[in-house]
Every structure is written in structure tokens, then in C-alpha cells.
């Protein structure tokens, strides 16, 4: 009885989600809808950044927003009141992330007629959201100055999966021990292909570059259909 058979039955828990994400991505592309997954830690300024960006873009693009939180509808109400674009609130039931199926349920709650851009504001967390493909065409994350310039070293996966990193709250950089160039170096060490844009959602610094990046992504997807 020395020869024991070992049967590997492990399968990545992400397999099914990745397949569903690819399917959702293809479906949205066929409808001419660009989905952006926006991630960050709590308090980085996601909602404030969204409000300013949407108000800059809504005359050029049809926009809808999905706000994900464990509870409350504060952010969805804030987006609707400040921008007038349709917004739905997604409750995760205690989960610290969204996956493709949860994103699909949120999409089903939107009227996509005339919508070019859907922005998913993911749950505030630098770990779980990075692990699950939501079906988005691009991933973007916000790192705020008060969090420190070493976050790319501490949360490698988040920075590895993002196409764009916004460094927010640049208006308070003089009051914090934050080295912008060092932060950029750390980000590019994790992800050489990432774009980095320093911004201030409060003052508007750099926000035009972010808005232009979004318009370019939407246009590129449409031209590739």
C-alpha cells in the first residue's frame, strides 16, 4: 500500500469569473459601451474625481455610473445630484470586491441606450478588487498623496493590473512627505506599461489629461469594432 495515487483536483477559483469577464467585455464592446473599472482605497477621492470628470465629459459622451459599496447609497445619490447622469448603487453584501457576474447585474440596471461610457466605482480596497476581473475594458486606480509614495511596493497586484494610475490630492503634496518621482518609479517597476497622471480633483489640476485619456479610450474601442 506504499503507492498512493495523488489526484490534483484544484482549479483556480478565478477560472469561471475570467471566462464570464471575457464574455461581458465582448458583449459591451458589441454594444459600443466602454466600461472603466475605477479602484482605490477608501478616502482617496474616487467620487470627487468622478464628479469633476463626468461634468467635463457629459456633453461629449453618454455616461452612466455604477457605485459599489458594502452598504448605503450615499455615493450614487451624490453622483446623480452633482452630474445628472444615471447612477445605480451596487451592494456587495459584505464582499470587498466586485466580480464579473456582479458587474453584469449592475449593467442590467442601467439603460445603455445612448451610453458610450460606464464607470464602475469599485469597493474601496487595495487588495480584493485587484484580484477579480470585472469585464472592464480598462482598469484605473487612484492613489492619493496622503497614502504615501510607497503604496506600489506594498500592494503590487493593484498596480500591476491597472492601465492608468491617477495620483490624486496633489494640492496637498507640500504638506506630506510624498516623492512624486519616486512614486512613479515604483509604479513603473510594478507595471512598465502603466500611464501615470498627477491630479487634484479639488482644484482641477491634471483633470483635463484624465478626461482626454477617457475620450481616447472610448474612441479607440469604437474604431476597433
Amino acid at each position: 500500500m506504499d503507492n498512493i495515487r495523488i489526484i490534483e483536483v484544484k482549479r483556480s477559483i478565478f477560472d469561471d469569473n475570467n471566462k464570464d469577464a471575457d464574455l461581458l467585455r465582448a458583449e459591451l464592446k458589441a454594444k459600443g459601451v466602454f466600461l472603466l473599472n475605477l479602484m482605490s482605497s477608501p478616502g482617496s477621492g474616487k467620487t470627487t474625481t468622478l464628479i469633476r470628470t463626468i461634468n467635463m465629459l457629459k456633453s461629449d459622451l453618454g455616461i452612466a455610473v455604477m457605485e459599489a459599496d458594502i452598504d448605503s447609497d450615499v455615493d450614487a445619490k451624490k453622483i446623480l445630484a452633482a452630474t445628472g447622469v444615471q447612477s445605480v448603487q451596487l451592494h456587495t453584501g459584505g464582499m470587498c470586491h466586485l466580480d464579473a457576474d456582479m458587474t453584469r447585474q449592475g449593467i442590467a440596471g442601467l439603460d445603455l441606450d445612448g451610453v458610450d461610457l460606464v464607470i464602475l466605482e469599485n469597493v474601496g480596497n487595495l487588495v480584493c478588487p485587484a484580484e477579480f476581473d470585472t469585464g472592464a475594458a480598462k482598469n484605473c486606480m487612484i492613489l492619493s498623496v496622503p497614502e504615501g509614495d510607497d503604496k506600489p511596493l506594498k500592494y503590487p497586484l493593484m498596480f500591476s493590473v491597472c492601465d492608468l494610475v491617477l495620483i490624486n490630492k496633489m494640492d496637498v503634496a507640500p504638506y506630506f512627505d510624498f516623492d512624486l518621482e519616486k512614486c512613479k518609479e515604483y509604479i513603473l517597476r510594478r507595471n512598465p506599461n502603466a500611464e501615470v497622471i498627477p491630479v487634484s480633483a479639488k482644484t482641477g489640476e491634471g483633470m483635463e489629461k484624465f478626461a482626454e485619456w477617457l475620450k481616447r479610450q472610448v474612441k479607440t474601442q469604437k474604431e476597433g469594432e
Side-chain angles (χ1 to χ4, degrees):
M1 298 295 293
D2 292 336
N3 296 322
I4 302 298
R5 293 180 64 198
I6 299 176
I7 303 173
E8 297 286 351
V9 296
K10 294 182 294 183
R11 181 173 64 88
S12 171
I13 62 171
F14 302 111
D15 280 354
D16 289 341
N17 181 70
N18 291 341
K19 291 175 183 176
D20 193 23
D22 287 338
L23 182 60
L24 178 58
R25 209 166 3 251
E27 291 171 356
L28 290 173
K29 184 176 181 180
K31 294 177 180 178
V33 176
F34 182 92
L35 174 61
L36 177 74
N37 179 29
L38 182 63
M39 300 176 284
S40 79
S41 60
S44 67
K46 286 195 302 297
T47 305
T48 304
T49 299
L50 277 185
I51 289 171
R52 184 178 281 272
T53 304
I54 290 167
N55 283 329
M56 294 171 68
L57 290 174
K58 64 183 182 181
S59 61
D60 299 316
L61 298 173
I63 303 174
V65 177
M66 296 186 290
E67 290 284 346
D69 280 300
I70 292 174
D71 205 349
S72 91
D73 58 1
V74 172
D75 288 341
K77 287 182 176 178
K78 189 181 294 184
I79 290 287
L80 179 61
T83 68
V85 304
Q86 62 172 317
S87 177
V88 295
Q89 185 75 50
L90 309 182
H91 285 171
T92 64
M95 299 182 73
C96 60
H97 68 276
L98 288 183
D99 59 23
D101 183 63
M102 297 158 77
T103 303
R104 185 186 296 279
Q105 292 179 59
I107 292 288
L110 296 170
D111 179 3
L112 294 182
D113 186 29
V115 170
D116 307 293
L117 170 65
V118 174
I119 302 175
L120 168 61
E121 183 178 339
N122 215 314
V123 181
N125 188 317
L126 290 183
V127 181
C128 304
E131 297 179 335
F132 291 85
D133 191 341
T134 61
K138 295 288 183 180
N139 292 318
C140 173
M141 72 90 59
I142 299 176
L143 170 67
S144 64
V145 165
E147 294 173 73
D149 53 35
D150 60 354
K151 284 298 179 289
L153 300 180
K154 296 181 177 181
Y155 299 92
L157 182 60
M158 173 59 73
F159 291 87
S160 297
V161 302
C162 286
D163 303 282
L164 175 67
V165 177
L166 301 178
I167 302 179
N168 192 26
K169 303 187 181 181
M170 289 301 300
D171 52 301
V172 300
Y175 309 103
F176 289 87
D177 184 17
F178 186 90
D179 188 325
L180 178 59
E181 293 308 312
K182 187 177 292 185
C183 186
K184 289 180 180 179
E185 176 190 337
Y186 294 155
I187 293 169
L188 295 177
R189 185 184 302 178
R190 295 302 188 194
N191 185 354
N193 297 317
E195 294 188 53
V196 181
I197 303 177
V199 302
S200 169
K202 182 177 181 180
T203 68
E205 174 188 350
M207 294 301 295
E208 186 64 39
K209 290 183 179 180
F210 178 42
E212 288 300 320
W213 182 89
L214 274 173
K215 286 197 287 188
R216 188 165 65 250
Q217 300 306 317
V218 173
K219 180 181 180 183
T220 298
Q221 176 173 284
K222 287 184 179 295
E223 290 178 344
E225 291 171 4

